[in-house]
Every structure is written in structure tokens, then in C-alpha cells.
């Protein structure tokens, strides 16, 4: 048996400790760099845009005059978009998660579906925009209306909602379902009255975070041709519309011609950030309120 060379071990240990320390320094500096850049960006946005936020800006229509431009149309368009996205995503996402976790037999078919859902969660958003343009805008001849945009966004966040719902269902203690079966409840009664209420906080948290992503996405809407022109306010899911990210996108482009559009884009970014902060705060409150219920 060959004895361990203490000097060699000490040398290797010194090298590993050096590499470990170097990696910690690199990762720390990378984090600091990202935070500094983010801080500068947020400061620049707020310093340029906060003075432009007032009731006229929030309730006004789009205008070629920066002093008169408002974002009410974009706000209403975002709300109408969520009216389509939220129910479609919740019903299909939660339903798929229930089927995969509680009904589908474990095997190759279930594993195939699970793998594809996980892969779809990482597909670039612009690919979903191309799919939405092909299926909803052209094949179904919907045009660039709220319904087409909402269905496209639903495809984008559906894999995320399914995965989050599955994790929430898996987190429910097994003894709750077993106790329900032991008392004579059917499978659906157990799912409806025991499993879903216990998993609801996790499901809602995942759904709200998914909706937050949908609100901030621009690429799919650009591909399906959502305008940011002087259009009437949308009144139904069959009207043309624009949303806050699209308005930011076009005003940023126009800022190269008119400087004031950059300030309007910054003000719109602040409103969008506040909406996203509200949604994320709601998700945290729901999670903290109900996580100890069961």
C-alpha cells in the first residue's frame, strides 16, 4: 500500500484554497458590477421620468406632441391582455399539472410530455411570437387584436405555470390525501377539497410571477404586429391595442428624433416597474399568508 504524501496533499490543498478564494472574488465583483449598473440605470430612469408622471400623462391619449402624450390606451391594453392571459393560463396550466401529477401513469409518455414542457420553458420569447403570428394572426385570421396577443402570451408563460403548479402539488403532504381516501372520498373530491386548497398558495405565486413576465414582454407582440400609434382605446378582446412595453419600445426608438420621447419612455418604465412590483409583492404576501395553513 502506497503511503499518502503529506507534502503533495498540502500543495494541492493550497492550490484548491487559492482557486476557491479567486472564484469567490470574481463572483463577488461580478455581482457588485451588476448591481452598480442596475442602480445607475434605475437612477437614470427615475431622474428622467418621474417629473413627467401626472394625471394628464396617466389618463391621456397617445399624441405626436410629447407634452400632451399619455398612456391610458397602453394601460387599458395591458389590462385587456391580462383578461385573456390569466384565465387561459390558469385553466390550462393548472389542469395540465393536475393531469401529469395525479392522473397520468408514470412511463415514457408522461416523461416525454414532462421533458417537452421543461424545454418549452426555456424557448426564447420571440419564437412564441412567430408561432402566434403563424397560428392566431394568419391561420385563424384574427389580426393583431387583444385575443391574438393574449393567446400568444399564454403560450409563452404556460410552461412556467405548469411547472410551478406541479411543484406546488408535489409539496402537499401525502397524508392529507391518504386521510381523505380513508374517509371514503373519491379521487376528484380529494383533489378539489384537499390537494388544490393546500397547493393554492404555490399555484397562485407561480401564476402571478408568470403574469409579471407576460406584462413585461415585448418581442412576441412586436412579431405579431401590435401597433403603438394613435389608435382608439380598446373596449373588448376583439379590438386592436397596445401595451406598456410596446409604448416604451417605440418611444425609445423615436427618442433619436425627439429628445422628449426618451423622458416619456422613462416615465412609462416607472409605471411598468410599479405594476410589476405590485404583482410580485402580492405573490409574496399570498405565499407568506398561506404557507403554514397546512
Amino acid at each position: 500500500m502506497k503511503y499518502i504524501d503529506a507534502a503533495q496533499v498540502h500543495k494541492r490543498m493550497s492550490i484548491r484554497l487559492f482557486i476557491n478564494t479567486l472564484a469567490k472574488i470574481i463572483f463577488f465583483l461580478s455581482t457588485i458590477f451588476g448591481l452598480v449598473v442596475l442602480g445607475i440605470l434605475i437612477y437614470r430612469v427615475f431622474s428622467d421620468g418621474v417629473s413627467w408622471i401626472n394625471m394628464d400623462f396617466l389618463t391621456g391619449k397617445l399624441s405626436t406632441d410629447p407634452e400632451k402624450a399619455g398612456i391610458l390606451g397602453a394601460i387599458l391594453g395591458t389590462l385587456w391582455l391580462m383578461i385573456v392571459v390569466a384565465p387561459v393560463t390558469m385553466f390550462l396550466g393548472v389542469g395540465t399539472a393536475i393531469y401529469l401529477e395525479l392522473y397520468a401513469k408514470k412511463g415514457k409518455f408522461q416523461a416525454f410530455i414532462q421533458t417537452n414542457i421543461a424545454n418549452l420553458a426555456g424557448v426564447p420569447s420571440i419564437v412564441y411570437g412567430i408561432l402566434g403570428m403563424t397560428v392566431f394572426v394568419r391561420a385563424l385570421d384574427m389580426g393583431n387584436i387583444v385575443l391574438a396577443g393574449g393567446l400568444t402570451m399564454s403560450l409563452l408563460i404556460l410552461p412556467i405555470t405548469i411547472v410551478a403548479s406541479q411543484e406546488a402539488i408535489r409539496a402537499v403532504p401525502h397524508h392529507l390525501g391518504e386521510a381523505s381516501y380513508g374517509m371514503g372520498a373519491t379521487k376528484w373530491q380529494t383533489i378539489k377539497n384537499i390537494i388544490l386548497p393546500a397547493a393554492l398558495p404555490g399555484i397562485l405565486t407561480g401564476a402571478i410571477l408568470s403574469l409579471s413576465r407576460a406584462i413585461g414582454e415585448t418581442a412576441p407582440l412586436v412579431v405579431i404586429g401590435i401597433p403603438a400609434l394613435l389608435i382608439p382605446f380598446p373596449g373588448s378582446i376583439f379590438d386592436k391595442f397596445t401595451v406598456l412595453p410596446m409604448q416604451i419600445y417605440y418611444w425609445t426608438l423615436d427618442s433619436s428624433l425627439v429628445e422628449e420621447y426618451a423622458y416619456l419612455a422613462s416615465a412609462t418604465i416607472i409605471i411598468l416597474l410599479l405594476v410589476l412590483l405590485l404583482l410580485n409583492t402580492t405573490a409574496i404576501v399570498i405565499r407568506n399568508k398561506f404557507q403554514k395553513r397546512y
Side-chain angles (χ1 to χ4, degrees):
M1 180 177 179
K2 188 177 179 180
Y3 291 101
I4 298 175
D5 188 348
Q8 188 70 15
V9 172
H10 180 73
K11 181 180 178 181
R12 290 182 179 178
M13 185 63 68
S14 300
I15 294 175
R16 290 178 180 179
L17 290 175
F18 172 75
I19 294 175
N20 181 65
T21 303
L22 181 63
K24 286 182 178 180
I25 293 174
I26 292 174
F27 292 147
F28 176 75
L29 293 178
S30 300
T31 303
I32 294 298
F33 177 76
L35 292 175
V36 169
V37 173
L38 178 62
I40 294 173
L41 180 61
I42 292 177
Y43 171 78
R44 179 68 182 273
V45 167
F46 273 81
S47 62
D48 289 347
V50 70
S51 61
W52 287 71
I53 298 177
N54 50 46
M55 288 304 300
D56 293 334
F57 176 73
L58 295 176
T59 60
K61 295 182 178 181
L62 298 176
S63 174
T64 55
D65 184 359
E67 298 291 340
K68 300 179 181 179
I71 59 171
L72 182 58
I75 293 175
L76 293 176
T78 301
L79 293 176
W80 277 111
L81 186 70
M82 291 302 104
I83 288 175
V84 175
V85 172
V88 171
T89 303
M90 286 296 294
F91 282 119
L92 292 180
V94 177
T96 302
I98 291 174
Y99 169 75
L100 291 176
E101 289 298 318
L102 303 173
Y103 283 97
K105 294 182 179 179
K106 304 300 180 183
K108 294 183 178 180
F109 179 70
Q110 193 265 359
F112 174 78
I113 295 177
Q114 194 69 51
T115 301
N116 279 275
I117 290 174
N119 290 335
L120 287 173
V123 173
S125 59
I126 195 170
V127 176
Y128 288 99
I130 296 173
L131 178 63
M133 178 187 64
T134 304
V135 177
F136 304 123
V137 176
R138 293 184 178 177
L140 298 180
D141 198 25
M142 290 185 182
N144 51 357
I145 61 175
V146 174
L147 182 60
L151 293 176
T152 301
M153 285 299 186
S154 298
L155 292 178
L156 171 64
I157 65 174
L158 194 57
I160 305 173
T161 306
I162 294 173
V163 173
S165 300
Q166 284 185 271
E167 294 298 329
I169 292 173
R170 289 174 191 161
V172 177
H174 292 291
H175 66 265
L176 294 178
E178 292 171 356
S180 178
Y181 291 135
M183 296 180 66
T186 63
K187 187 169 187 176
W188 174 242
Q189 288 174 333
T190 300
I191 294 173
K192 182 180 67 172
N193 299 322
I194 303 298
I195 297 178
L196 281 183
L200 187 60
I203 293 174
L204 289 179
T205 300
I208 292 173
L209 295 178
S210 298
L211 292 177
S212 298
R213 180 183 177 185
I215 289 177
E217 282 289 348
T218 308
L221 300 179
V222 172
V223 174
I224 67 176
I226 299 302
L229 304 176
L230 304 179
I231 57 177
F233 293 158
S236 71
I237 62 174
F238 301 105
D239 292 339
K240 292 187 176 182
F241 73 110
T242 189
V243 292
L244 292 172
M246 289 294 299
Q247 198 58 62
I248 295 169
Y249 173 72
Y250 279 106
W251 271 339
T252 302
L253 292 180
D254 293 339
S255 64
S256 60
L257 302 176
V258 181
E259 183 181 2
E260 284 77 8
Y261 282 132
Y263 303 136
L264 291 175
S266 296
T268 310
I269 290 173
I270 295 173
I271 300 300
L272 182 59
L273 286 175
L274 292 177
V275 172
L276 295 177
L277 180 63
L278 177 63
L279 287 174
N280 284 276
T281 303
T282 303
I284 294 173
V285 170
I286 291 174
R287 182 188 64 197
N288 292 339
K289 184 176 181 180
F290 294 102
Q291 65 182 353
K292 295 183 179 179
R293 182 175 178 181
Y294 289 86

